[in-house]
Amino acid sequence: MKHMLKFNETGKFRILMVSDIQEAVEYAERTVPALRKLIDETNPDLVIWGGDNCDGRYLKTREELDNYLKIFTVPMEEKQIPWMHVYGNHDYDVDVPVTEQHDMYQAYPYCISGRSPEGVPGVSNYAIPIYAHDSDHVAYCIYAFDTMHKNPEIRPGVSTDDLLIPNRPKCFRKWDIVRFEQLMWYWNYSKQLEAKEGHLVHALAVMHVPPHEMYMCIDNPEITKFKGIHDESFQCGVLNPGLFATMMERGDVDIIAAGHLHRDTFEVEYGGIRMCLDGCGGFSPKSHDDRRGGRVFEICEDGSFETEFIAYQDLMDIS
């Protein structure tokens, strides 16, 4: 890694996650100052871009993406804050292969994003260790997952329309799924990390499209300790790939954080895993101003944590 991540002397580590910046060549002038203000006020040790980092429906060429990244990485690069990213569906809309986009991201001095191992679907599947404050032992791990694009061909000859039968849970939509090879990569990495450290290592999992189990929690607000705002049609992949169940069985992931839903900022707890959404990071995408901002995670070295969504409007005048 370019920059080793460590807990501070008090055993704390602060993460800021911002998803759906989703700007393009013609971008909202308020977005970059708002991102800079959010970073200044939250003072994170790490920034995570949670997908739909740009809007590939309007930002198409390599030159446009290059110019875009030069602008939107400034809030992290100028403060020399390590940052990482996963891809969302609109990043796949750019007419530049995501493998080449990844080279462009990784060229930035403070980008610490890894790359998927060979044979694992998607590009942004990787693990980032956070070390103990007083040793070279891994005290925490961040797992990044690539939820890829839309209308996937999961099995030859079977279309998304074939899978989206009329009488289904409403959250089952056109988006791709985290494939079995990705889950197997996570499982094996986690097992190897446990063997190396001698114990299960607490972890945060980040992705763009949220897992299906979040949808159940909405209808059980008291049991799942629902906190925040939900007023958007919930959208997940075309099938439930078992990501949540895999993490439940493995036992190390305490937090699942996702984006994709611009107007939802809620957090819930189910089966001992906190699942969180972080609203909308840009001003161009459709949302409401009280949902534009990011989510902060205050992680302790023992695996305990606190989290909250912070809106730009609570930090600055965004009118």
Side-chain angles (χ1 to χ4, degrees), residues 5-14 45 129-134 137-141 298-304:
L5 305 182
K6 291 181 72 74
F7 284 88
N8 64 26
E9 292 182 356
T10 65
K12 300 289 182 65
F13 191 90
R14 180 174 282 243
D45 300 298
I130 305 176
Y131 292 89
H133 75 280
D134 58 354
H137 288 283
V138 176
Y140 201 84
C141 190
E298 185 84 31
I299 310 292
C300 296
E301 205 163 335
D302 63 3
S304 61

Side-chain angles (χ1 to χ4, degrees), residues 21 23-25 27 32 35 49 52-55 59 61-78 83-87 91 94 96 98 100-109 111:
I21 297 172
E23 297 282 4
V25 177
Y27 60 89
V32 174
L35 285 169
W49 278 7
D52 283 4
N53 308 315
C54 67
D55 195 335
L59 187 155
T61 69
R62 185 182 186 90
E63 180 181 7
E64 289 172 343
L65 180 59
D66 183 49
N67 291 333
Y68 179 88
L69 290 175
K70 287 177 181 176
I71 294 167
F72 282 89
T73 60
V74 166
M76 294 88 71
E77 291 288 324
E78 70 179 3
W83 59 280
M84 57 179 279
H85 74 290
V86 294
Y87 293 110
D91 299 303
V94 181
V96 177
V98 179
E100 295 181 18
Q101 292 185 43
H102 213 64
D103 293 335
M104 298 168 70
Y105 278 81
Q106 288 183 312
Y108 282 87
C111 177

Side-chain angles (χ1 to χ4, degrees), residues 25-306:
V25 177
E26 300 295 330
Y27 60 89
E29 293 183 359
R30 295 182 292 174
T31 299
V32 174
L35 285 169
R36 182 181 286 111
K37 182 67 172 178
L38 183 61
I39 289 172
D40 287 345
E41 292 294 325
T42 58
N43 193 29
D45 300 298
L46 173 70
V47 175
I48 300 175
W49 278 7
D52 283 4
N53 308 315
C54 67
D55 195 335
R57 295 172 299 177
Y58 310 108
L59 187 155
K60 286 295 184 183
T61 69
R62 185 182 186 90
E63 180 181 7
E64 289 172 343
L65 180 59
D66 183 49
N67 291 333
Y68 179 88
L69 290 175
K70 287 177 181 176
I71 294 167
F72 282 89
T73 60
V74 166
M76 294 88 71
E77 291 288 324
E78 70 179 3
K79 291 181 71 69
Q80 300 182 350
I81 299 172
W83 59 280
M84 57 179 279
H85 74 290
V86 294
Y87 293 110
N89 47 286
H90 286 307
D91 299 303
Y92 276 87
D93 288 331
V94 181
D95 289 340
V96 177
V98 179
T99 52
E100 295 181 18
Q101 292 185 43
H102 213 64
D103 293 335
M104 298 168 70
Y105 278 81
Q106 288 183 312
Y108 282 87
Y110 285 88
C111 177
I112 61 170
S113 299
R115 185 184 291 265
S116 298
E118 185 175 353
V120 176
V123 178
S124 57
N125 301 285
Y126 56 92
I128 297 291
I130 305 176
Y131 292 89
H133 75 280
D134 58 354
S135 74
D136 60 356
H137 288 283
V138 176
Y140 201 84
C141 190
I142 302 172
Y143 292 100
F145 290 86
D146 193 332
T147 53
M148 297 180 284
H149 203 199
K150 61 184 178 182
N151 300 321
E153 185 179 74
I154 297 172
R155 179 174 180 170
V158 179
S159 71
T160 302
D161 290 338
D162 294 328
L163 296 171
L164 293 176
I165 55 179
N167 294 319
R168 68 184 194 277
K170 292 181 180 179
C171 68
F172 283 66
R173 304 294 282 270
K174 62 185 177 181
W175 310 108
D176 207 336
I177 63 172
V178 174
R179 306 298 181 92
F180 175 74
E181 293 94 338
Q182 294 170 269
L183 298 180
M184 186 166 59
W185 157 76
Y186 150 70
W187 184 278
N188 290 337
Y189 188 101
S190 174
K191 291 280 285 186
Q192 291 166 7
L193 184 59
E194 180 183 18
K196 175 180 177 291
E197 296 299 332
H199 59 85
L200 205 63
V201 176
H202 290 281
L204 158 69
V206 298
M207 62 204 67
H208 184 65
V209 177
H212 295 69
E213 284 75 9
M214 287 189 79
Y215 183 70
M216 288 195 309
C217 295
I218 296 168
D219 293 329
N220 297 275
E222 293 186 5
I223 295 173
T224 60
K225 304 174 185 177
F226 181 98
K227 178 182 177 182
I229 300 173
H230 162 64
D231 65 3
E232 184 170 352
S233 177
F234 208 83
Q235 297 194 26
C236 301
V238 65
L239 298 171
N240 187 337
L243 178 144
F244 183 85
T246 300
M247 292 177 176
M248 276 284 294
E249 185 177 354
R250 183 72 195 107
D252 58 348
V253 171
D254 302 308
I255 314 168
I256 297 174
H260 195 49
L261 303 173
H262 299 182
R263 300 196 305 272
D264 282 5
T265 64
F266 68 85
E267 59 183 90
V268 289
E269 188 169 314
Y270 179 52
I273 297 177
R274 190 85 57 89
M275 292 183 281
C276 312
L277 296 174
D278 61 357
C280 181
F283 281 87
S284 290
K286 291 182 180 179
S287 187
H288 303 298
D289 282 351
D290 63 341
R291 327 289 169 80
R292 302 188 196 275
R295 179 169 287 275
V296 171
F297 299 92
E298 185 84 31
I299 310 292
C300 296
E301 205 163 335
D302 63 3
S304 61
F305 64 91
E306 295 181 358

